[in-house]
Amino acid sequence: MSKKQGLFVLIMLIVTSLAGSAFAADSSDSQSWNISVGKETDSTSLDSMFPKVLFIHEGDKVTFTNGAKLTPHTVTFLAGQQPLNPNDPKSEAPTAASGVSYDGKTLLSSGILPPNLSYDITFTSSGVFNYYCVLHPMMTGTVVVLAKGLPIPSKTEQVAAARAQEQELLLQLDTMNHSNAPMYKTNANGTLTYQVDMGTAHGTMSHNRMIPELVVVSEGDSVAWTNLSPYEPHFVTFNKPKDMNFFTEQGGFNPAFLAPSGSGTFNGSGFTNSGILMSGQTYPLKFTKTGTYAYECYLHSGSKMTGTVVVVPKNAVKLIVNGKAIGDSAKAEWKNGTLFVSLDSFAKAVGGKVTKKSKAFAVNGKQLVTPGYTVKGIAFASAEEIVRVLGGSYSWNQATKTLTVTAGTAVSVHMNH
């Protein structure tokens, strides 16, 4: 028994079990159904059909609508033929106009379907018809067509199944978005190489994000970006000239972006570009000068696929508060086993301010026990004690010399009598 025959038998068993269901569709009139070809959040293309399996009757019409914001898709029924080449211009055009009647015996494709546009197909024969997106081959769906009179799940049930499918992907996405701690390895010379994932290896969504979006490194450290997406290319680009467009007027990639530009080190100046990174490819870059450097994947600018590398002086403490790096590390320094930070810089990082009244330090009205000090008008206090007073949490990484803090906002820091 072939896979297609086996799937058909399984579906028929499911349908038979639904016999007598209160949700059996009206067998006398043809109905119209809807499938969302993908969906899209601000950062992620959900590359799936919603619902993934649709049950209909002979003579019913299905409207396939591209539910993405920016991503094009296709609706392509191969009918046993070889997959289409996404680079072949012929695959961009429809094989038949929208509104076509289809019996499942020949190849049928919508061609490139831009966001919000639709393609209608009326199914005239019973069968199990698999289809996919030429641009995203892992994006597949199935239309199960049954003879009139046979029971099928109701529209309410099938819409609910599509919604549950979407919610499951969004839950997975939420988990991905909370993976903010960068991985790193120690090099032979003692420097570190931090890892940034470009997207994820998920087969049914293209997560167009740098993970993590913020990396704080020391001078001499490196960052290595790896494209984890199984099908989306990505780029890492610093200092793109304002007059340089990523796409040509014809819609293709500008050749200046396809190949790497710049050397393997970066001091904050000059156009530096990874070139096109396909699935599994890595781009390393060494940072040699203190500064804050923004970069972007311009292929996914609409998804805001951006990141920031903050470079601090070698051996300086790195301070990250509520997911944001403090540029001067709040002037953090170790004294007698205690990490002291600038009250002013730290307070600003959590949305507060410093009011100087006297020599004793207090946070949110609570006096600090650990004695602080002032150097050239800058007040310093214990970072650990400040976090505890704020009811926050912190972690210290000795290998990277990084203090990561989660704390409340609207902090009032002052010097009490």
Side-chain angles (χ1 to χ4, degrees):
M1 180 182 294
S2 69
K3 289 184 179 180
K4 185 173 181 179
Q5 290 172 325
L7 177 61
F8 183 72
V9 170
L10 176 61
I11 291 171
M12 288 305 296
L13 288 173
I14 295 173
V15 172
T16 302
S17 70
L18 291 172
S21 166
F23 300 109
D26 188 343
S27 61
S28 58
D29 297 320
S30 296
Q31 291 189 310
S32 295
W33 303 81
N34 296 292
I35 290 178
S36 180
V37 183
K39 291 179 179 288
E40 197 160 1
T41 70
D42 288 339
S43 67
T44 306
S45 177
L46 303 180
D47 296 332
S48 182
M49 309 298 181
F50 301 90
K52 198 168 180 65
V53 179
L54 179 71
F55 294 87
I56 66 172
H57 287 123
E58 290 178 350
D60 286 354
K61 181 181 76 173
V62 179
T63 297
F64 298 85
T65 302
N66 185 344
K69 297 179 179 179
L70 300 164
T71 306
H73 292 299
T74 79
V75 174
T76 305
F77 293 82
L78 293 174
Q81 297 191 35
Q82 292 297 314
L84 301 183
N85 182 352
N87 297 318
D88 186 344
K90 293 181 180 178
S91 67
E92 299 178 2
T95 58
S98 176
V100 62
S101 294
Y102 186 58
D103 61 7
K105 296 179 180 179
T106 57
L107 185 148
L108 176 64
S109 180
S110 65
I112 299 296
L113 198 60
N116 301 317
L117 293 191
S118 299
Y119 189 76
D120 295 337
I121 303 175
T122 298
F123 291 83
T124 58
S125 299
S126 297
V128 178
F129 305 117
N130 299 314
Y131 65 102
Y132 82 121
C133 171
V134 173
L135 304 177
H136 307 96
M138 297 181 188
M139 186 175 175
T140 62
T142 303
V143 178
V144 181
V145 185
L146 301 174
K148 288 184 179 296
L150 290 177
I152 60 175
S154 69
K155 282 190 176 181
T156 300
E157 289 178 309
Q158 300 201 60
V159 168
R163 187 175 295 115
Q165 179 187 340
E166 179 183 0
Q167 289 302 313
E168 172 61 26
L169 290 177
L170 292 176
L171 285 173
Q172 295 178 39
L173 177 60
D174 185 62
T175 301
M176 297 175 192
N177 287 337
H178 286 85
S179 301
N180 292 320
M183 303 294 290
Y184 60 89
K185 68 176 183 178
T186 303
N187 303 315
N189 62 359
T191 62
L192 302 178
T193 296
Y194 293 81
Q195 176 64 51
V196 174
D197 295 336
M198 306 177 78
T200 67
H202 203 291
T204 54
M205 65 171 75
S206 177
H207 188 43
N208 299 323
R209 277 289 187 267
M210 304 294 180
I211 308 173
E213 294 181 339
L214 169 68
V215 181
V216 184
V217 308
S218 298
E219 287 179 324
D221 287 344
S222 301
V223 177
W225 289 265
T226 300
N227 184 0
L228 297 187
S229 173
Y231 46 82
E232 284 285 354
H234 292 303
F235 295 78
V236 175
T237 306
F238 291 85
N239 298 335
K240 182 184 78 68
K242 292 183 179 180
D243 59 352
M244 181 184 289
N245 295 321
F246 186 80
F247 294 103
T248 65
E249 293 182 356
Q250 292 72 34
F253 291 153
N254 183 336
F257 282 93
L258 295 179
S261 296
S263 65
T265 62
F266 185 68
N267 64 3
S269 63
F271 174 56
T272 300
N273 178 51
S274 65
I276 189 168
L277 295 175
M278 304 305 293
S279 179
Q281 292 185 321
T282 296
Y283 172 65
L285 189 63
K286 181 178 179 179
F287 291 82
T288 59
K289 187 176 180 180
T290 300
T292 298
Y293 308 115
Y295 66 94
E296 184 169 344
C297 171
Y298 284 92
L299 177 59
H300 297 101
S301 293
S303 299
K304 299 179 177 61
M305 191 172 183
T306 61
T308 303
V309 178
V310 176
V311 185
V312 301
K314 194 171 184 178
N315 297 322
V317 171
K318 305 176 183 74
L319 184 57
I320 301 174
V321 179
N322 295 336
K324 296 182 179 180
I326 300 180
D328 62 357
S329 297
K331 300 177 175 57
E333 58 183 18
W334 287 95
K335 277 196 175 185
N336 301 322
T338 298
L339 181 65
F340 288 87
V341 293
S342 160
L343 286 176
D344 186 63
S345 295
F346 194 90
K348 286 180 180 178
V350 291
K353 62 181 180 179
V354 174
T355 303
K356 299 179 180 178
K357 295 182 179 179
S358 184
K359 295 182 179 180
F361 300 154
V363 175
N364 281 359
K366 298 180 181 179
Q367 187 163 324
L368 303 180
V369 176
T370 304
Y373 57 91
T374 301
V375 177
K376 295 181 179 180
I378 299 175
F380 286 83
S382 165
E384 179 179 0
E385 192 170 356
I386 293 172
V387 175
R388 287 181 177 176
V389 169
L390 298 177
S393 61
Y394 69 93
S395 64
W396 170 257
N397 187 313
Q398 178 61 31
T400 63
K401 294 182 174 58
T402 302
L403 180 68
T404 303
V405 175
T406 300
T409 57
V411 177
S412 175
V413 181
H414 58 274
M415 300 173 68
N416 258 342
H417 284 291

